[in-house]
């Protein structure tokens, strides 16, 4: 009986390790890639899936008017958020609240 | 005697197979090619329009929430750009149309109430401006189109009744006025497409009855003319609601929708002959409440739902090519 318990415990442990290894190995190799570029004296981002452009953002999403990101850091933050959503298979929509939460500068052109 | 009946059977089988072959040939015309999608942004009852070879779409319902986000689809580059959020209440089953380089989006359903507000989108500045409320009152699932410098919105559901009234919008004066003369029946979730300078209206449902009337509207004279009924021929299965309509190279198309179940069939309308032909059905899931983008020479069918499964794919139709299941 003890042996059976030990076997079950060992088998369970191996199964958990295999699952964790599998998850981390799939997570680390993202299918998506980002490119930050300069545009209209600001920054934009491009998100590609298997080297094909999927989303191209010359301007900050969700807000009115055509305003590029003021700095590379802001563009990077929002691009990372979009990829996170794509990987979680939820809508890659950025809301105005998320722009606030990430302290994205909206008025550097003025 | 046995040989005779065998002969008859063989002849019947031959005739049947010939018949099948010829209808297969019809079905073989038209090919759908999958285009760029966000993996996992399912939504339905989205509204959109095309301006300068760019598709715009937004609002809609994802099964949990009513939405306000608004996107541009770059048809030439096959990629997406998130634009300014629609500033009105989140909604589904709104009406949208393009008119003289500007987009219009209004009416719809926010989950509780039907709506009557109307907004203009300027693609060159990425800005929304509220315009005069729709004159017909609150409404969802209406038909809308822009033609000859005027916007037209009619039919739909007001929360109590299906409607058949039409109104026209003058963008210069920002005013609505009633348009008389639509001889069709009341309906919701009808569809429309434009070929050349004419607009075609049909399909939709009211009180569980799928509408069979089909109309041509001439924006120059504002006269509606009745065309061949959608159930005129025995093999026509065009009647449906929640479909999409568009045109490619002078022919009209009605794709997907609902009639007792979700549909994927594609019917092609020839305005010269006033006849319909069944071509290759949408190669993705059968669906309702999808969206179509049409430039007049290229067209895409995207999003929608199949029961409670919300869809996130995008297909371009090549009606004159042969069916190819490899793309």
């Amino acid at each position: 009986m003890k042996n059976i318990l030990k076997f079950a415990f060992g088998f369970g442990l191996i199964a958990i390790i295999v699952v964790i290894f599998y998850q981390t190995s799939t997570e680390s190799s993202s299918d998506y890639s980002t490119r930050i570029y300069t545009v209209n004296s600001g920054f934009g981002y491009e998100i590609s899936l298997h080297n094909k452009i999927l989303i191209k953002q010359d301007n900050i999403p969700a807000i009115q008017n055509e305003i590029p990101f003021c700095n590379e850091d802001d563009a990077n933050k929002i691009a990372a958020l979009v990829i996170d959503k794509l990987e979680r298979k939820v809508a890659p929509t950025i809301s105005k609240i998320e722009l606030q939460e990430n302290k994205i500068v909206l008025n550097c052109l003025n | 005697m046995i040989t005779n009946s065998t002969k008859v059977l063989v002849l019947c089988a031959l005739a049947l197979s010939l018949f099948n072959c010829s209808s297969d040939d019809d079905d073989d015309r038209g090919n759908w090619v999958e285009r760029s999608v966000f993996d996992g942004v399912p939504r339905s009852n989205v509204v959109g329009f095309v301006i300068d070879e760019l598709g715009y779409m937004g609002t809609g319902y994802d099964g949990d929430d009513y939405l306000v986000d608004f996107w541009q689809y770059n048809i030439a580059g096959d990629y997406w750009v998130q634009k300014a959020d629609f500033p009105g209440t989140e909604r589904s089953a709104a009406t949208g149309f393009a008119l003289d380089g500007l987009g219009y989006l209004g009416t719809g359903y926010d989950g509780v109430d039907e709506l009557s507000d109307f907004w203009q989108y300027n693609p060159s500045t990425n800005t929304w401006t509220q315009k005069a409320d729709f004159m017909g009152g609150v409404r969802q699932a209406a038909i809308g189109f822009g033609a000859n410098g005027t916007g037209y919105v009619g039919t739909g559901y007001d929360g109590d009744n299906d409607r058949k009234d039409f109104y026209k919008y003058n963008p210069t004066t920002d005013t609505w006025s009633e348009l008389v003369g639509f001889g069709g029946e009341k309906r919701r979730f009808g569809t429309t497409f434009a070929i050349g300078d004419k607009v075609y209206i049909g399909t939709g449902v009211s009180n569980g009855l799928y509408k069979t009337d089909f109309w041509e509207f001439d924006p120059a004279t504002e006269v509606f003319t009745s065309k061949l009924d959608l159930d005129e021929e025995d093999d026509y299965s065009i009647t449906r609601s929640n479909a999409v309509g568009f045109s490619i190279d002078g022919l009209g198309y009605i794709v997907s929708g609902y009639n007792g179940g979700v549909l994927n069939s594609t019917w092609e309308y020839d305005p010269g002959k006033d006849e319909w032909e069944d071509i290759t059905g949408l190669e993705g899931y059968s669906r309702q409440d999808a969206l179509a983008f049409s430039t007049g020479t290229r067209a895409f069918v995207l999003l929608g739902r199949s029961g409670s499964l919300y869809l996130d794919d995008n297909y371009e139709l090549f009606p004159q090519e042969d069916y190819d299941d490899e793309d």
Side-chain angles (χ1 to χ4, degrees), chain A residues 32 49 52-66 85-86 89-96, chain B residues 36-43 69 71 77-85 87 123-129:
Chain A
Y32 298 98
L49 173 63
K52 189 200 161 298
I53 298 171
L54 180 65
I55 295 172
K56 189 171 190 293
Q57 209 69 44
D58 283 357
N59 297 296
I60 301 173
I63 59 167
Q64 298 229 40
N65 302 311
E66 302 204 312
K85 288 173 188 242
L86 288 166
K89 305 220 181 287
V90 298
T93 299
I94 297 297
S95 67
K96 287 176 188 160
Chain B
S36 186
V37 286
F38 312 133
D39 196 10
V41 57
R43 63 166 82 191
D69 58 327
W71 293 79
D78 189 28
Y79 61 81
W80 292 86
V81 182
Q82 190 184 345
K83 294 294 187 178
D85 286 353
S124 58
T125 55
N126 186 33
T127 49
W128 290 95
T129 311

Side-chain angles (χ1 to χ4, degrees), chain B residues 95-107:
Chain B
T95 307
F97 54 84
L99 181 59
D100 297 336
L102 298 167
Y104 292 86
L105 200 168
T107 69

Side-chain angles (χ1 to χ4, degrees), chain B residues 48-216:
Chain B
F49 39 78
V50 172
I51 300 171
D52 293 336
E53 309 281 309
L54 297 166
Y56 293 86
M57 73 92 180
T59 69
Y61 181 65
D62 67 5
D64 292 316
D65 294 308
Y66 292 84
L67 307 166
V68 292
D69 58 327
F70 192 72
W71 293 79
Q72 177 196 73
Y73 176 58
N74 188 306
I75 291 170
D78 189 28
Y79 61 81
W80 292 86
V81 182
Q82 190 184 345
K83 294 294 187 178
D85 286 353
F86 173 68
T89 322
E90 50 280 297
R91 68 191 64 199
S92 70
T95 307
F97 54 84
L99 181 59
D100 297 336
L102 298 167
Y104 292 86
L105 200 168
T107 69
Y109 177 68
D110 67 5
V112 180
D113 296 310
E114 279 71 24
L115 305 162
S116 64
D117 54 336
F118 238 89
W119 299 72
Q120 180 193 70
Y121 178 73
N122 185 332
S124 58
T125 55
N126 186 33
T127 49
W128 290 95
T129 311
Q130 187 162 11
K131 295 293 176 180
D133 284 359
F134 173 57
M135 188 187 180
V138 298
R139 198 70 61 103
Q140 65 157 312
I143 290 171
F145 54 89
N148 200 24
T150 305
Y152 296 90
V153 176
T155 73
Y157 175 66
D158 67 11
D160 292 313
N161 294 298
D162 293 323
R163 306 289 295 259
K164 61 177 180 180
D165 47 348
F166 261 89
Y167 300 86
K168 55 180 182 173
Y169 177 73
N170 181 332
T172 315
T173 57
D174 185 28
T175 50
W176 292 88
S177 55
E178 191 162 6
L179 171 73
V180 291
F182 178 57
E185 296 169 46
K186 59 186 182 177
R187 74 194 64 212
R188 65 178 85 171
F189 291 113
T191 190
T192 181
F193 53 79
I195 302 175
D197 55 2
K198 301 287 199 299
V199 178
Y200 296 85
I201 294 167
T203 72
V205 64
S206 185
N207 295 322
L209 293 175
Y210 295 90
K211 296 296 151 190
T212 58
D213 53 337
F214 188 66
W215 297 85
E216 182 184 82

